[in-house]
Amino acid sequence: MAATLSGTMVSTSFLGRQPVTSLRSLPNVGQALFGLKAGSGRGRVTCMAIYKVKLITPMGPKEFKCPEDAYILDQAEELGIDLPYSCRAGSCSSCAGKVVQGNVDQSDGSFLDDDQIDGGWVLTCVAYPTSDVTIATHKEEELTD
């Protein structure tokens, strides 16, 4: 099918010929609108958790929502919140903080030892929220003292 527009040939073959009767027929719409990921099996949908993160910074508290698959530092930076960092790989202490409440997964990091992690220390560059969480930031000096 083609249409002529002011002497120019325009193809309309890319337009779907069937009306949209389901969001399933549109690629990635569920994920974009609802935070859902399609599973590999037909008809399976995985929900992505989003947690409330509260950062207690020297400039005052900052709160935002963070998906479970985003590093806290990355999400904060994307929202315009400035936090200290250096390596972004969990191998230094520049982004160190202390978990006040809640839980994180920082298994991607290598700098903190088990005792420090058990003591509530966190590296925001490699920390995923696993619950609503409150973190006191800018704690590198306290960690290294």
Side-chain angles (χ1 to χ4, degrees):
M1 178 175 184
T4 304
L5 182 64
S6 300
T8 304
M9 190 70 124
V10 178
S11 173
T12 58
S13 62
F14 64 90
L15 297 175
R17 291 184 173 88
Q18 297 296 321
V20 175
T21 58
S22 167
L23 290 178
R24 185 182 284 285
S25 65
L26 300 173
N28 300 324
V29 164
Q31 184 175 2
L33 294 177
F34 308 111
L36 303 175
K37 297 181 193 175
S40 59
R42 183 163 175 81
R44 293 172 57 192
V45 174
T46 303
C47 293
M48 179 173 39
I50 297 178
Y51 298 107
K52 182 175 78 172
V53 174
K54 181 177 183 179
L55 302 177
I56 301 170
T57 74
M59 291 74 61
K62 310 284 184 184
E63 288 188 27
F64 58 93
K65 293 184 189 281
C66 185
E68 68 182 350
D69 64 347
Y71 289 133
I72 292 170
L73 174 66
D74 290 345
Q75 187 70 12
E77 188 175 58
E78 190 172 305
L79 296 171
I81 300 170
D82 289 325
L83 293 175
Y85 67 90
S86 182
C87 72
R88 300 185 85 96
S91 58
C92 75
S93 61
S94 294
C95 65
K98 191 110 185 208
V99 175
V100 175
Q101 183 178 4
N103 298 297
V104 297
D105 170 5
Q106 56 182 327
S107 56
D108 292 346
S110 61
F111 184 82
L112 297 177
D113 62 35
D114 290 340
D115 290 338
Q116 290 169 320
I117 292 170
D118 292 342
W121 292 102
V122 62
L123 301 177
T124 59
C125 71
V126 290
Y128 298 106
T130 58
S131 71
D132 289 347
V133 65
T134 301
I135 299 171
T137 64
H138 297 75
K139 297 293 183 183
E140 181 179 28
E141 285 186 27
E142 288 180 37
L143 174 64
T144 57
D145 285 344

